[in-house]
Amino acid sequence: MRFVLASASPARLQTLRNAGLDPEVVVSGVDEEAIDAASPAELAQLLATAKAEAVADQLGDGDWLLVGCDSVLELDGAAHGKPGTPQAAVERWRAMRGRTGVLHTGHRLIRHEGNRRLAAGRTGSTEVHFADLDDAEIEAYVATGEPLQVAGSFTLDGLGGAYVRSISGDPHNVVGISLPLLRDLCEELGVAWHALWAR
């Protein structure tokens, strides 16, 4: 079965590879700014669904399994995606330091087999407890460029890992794709997790 990741995220791809999967990457091109929702968790799920559906429409016939994901950080009830600019990343970190946010990752799994298309989706949420960085640390971290293109302006599996005191929940979800949640979704659609391992 063809297995496709509808995401440009290197962290998601590496997480799947580390778990024994070797997905084909097809980027959706969805305009994330055009999608709005009532809550950060709902926004993450809507974005994941939009990305998965956009790529599914490109894949056509055959037997394939596709996963789309998107992550947002919730802080003070607001959703924060990629900051995009150094100034925005610095401001974000000044708001986050010494506090706790919730990283929501939406997951949408689509299975195409014969004439059937099945889908399942769910959002994983993990509490993230940030270290109390001083301004010099924030500016040095932002200057690396790493925070600019990741949800919430931080990574758990990169340079930003030193600035996360602890998490409550699935660490893979913070990286951008929850392996336990994805396994559950596979089960819902009748796909055994071990069947996806690269041979």
Side-chain angles (χ1 to χ4, degrees), residues 19-45:
L21 286 65
D22 190 21
E24 173 187 343
V25 174
V26 181
V27 180
S28 69
V30 165
D31 178 9
E32 297 180 23
E33 300 300 319
I35 297 175
D36 198 14
S39 71
E42 187 181 339
L43 177 61
Q45 190 58 47

Side-chain angles (χ1 to χ4, degrees), residues 109-121:
L109 191 68
I110 301 174
R111 180 182 183 184
H112 189 277
E113 187 179 35
N115 296 321
R116 290 193 316 157
R117 187 189 277 197
L118 305 172

Side-chain angles (χ1 to χ4, degrees), residues 93 140-147 154-164:
W93 262 103
Y141 181 42
V142 170
T144 69
E146 184 182 83
F154 76 99
T155 63
L156 188 64
D157 58 337
L159 299 175
Y163 306 129
V164 176

Side-chain angles (χ1 to χ4, degrees), residues 9-138:
S9 164
R12 287 190 184 106
L13 178 59
Q14 192 58 54
T15 298
L16 290 171
R17 284 180 172 164
N18 289 345
L21 286 65
D22 190 21
E24 173 187 343
V25 174
V26 181
V27 180
S28 69
V30 165
D31 178 9
E32 297 180 23
E33 300 300 319
I35 297 175
D36 198 14
S39 71
E42 187 181 339
L43 177 61
Q45 190 58 47
L46 285 175
L47 287 165
T49 299
K51 290 180 176 183
E53 295 292 344
V55 171
D57 290 342
Q58 299 174 40
L59 296 183
D61 296 331
D63 292 351
W64 47 260
L65 186 70
L66 159 74
V67 61
C69 295
D70 202 88
S71 301
V72 298
L73 178 73
E74 179 177 355
L75 193 70
D76 297 325
H80 301 283
K82 303 177 184 80
T85 68
Q87 182 182 353
V90 167
E91 288 172 7
R92 182 85 49 81
W93 262 103
R94 285 179 177 160
M96 294 181 341
R97 61 182 167 191
R99 301 184 62 205
T100 298
V102 180
L103 198 290
H104 302 286
T105 297
H107 299 69
R108 182 70 168 179
L109 191 68
I110 301 174
R111 180 182 183 184
H112 189 277
E113 187 179 35
N115 296 321
R116 290 193 316 157
R117 187 189 277 197
L118 305 172
R122 202 172 318 142
T123 299
S125 301
T126 304
E127 276 191 359
V128 183
H129 308 279
F130 297 105
D132 191 3
L133 280 63
D134 62 30
D135 285 350
E137 286 180 297
I138 290 173

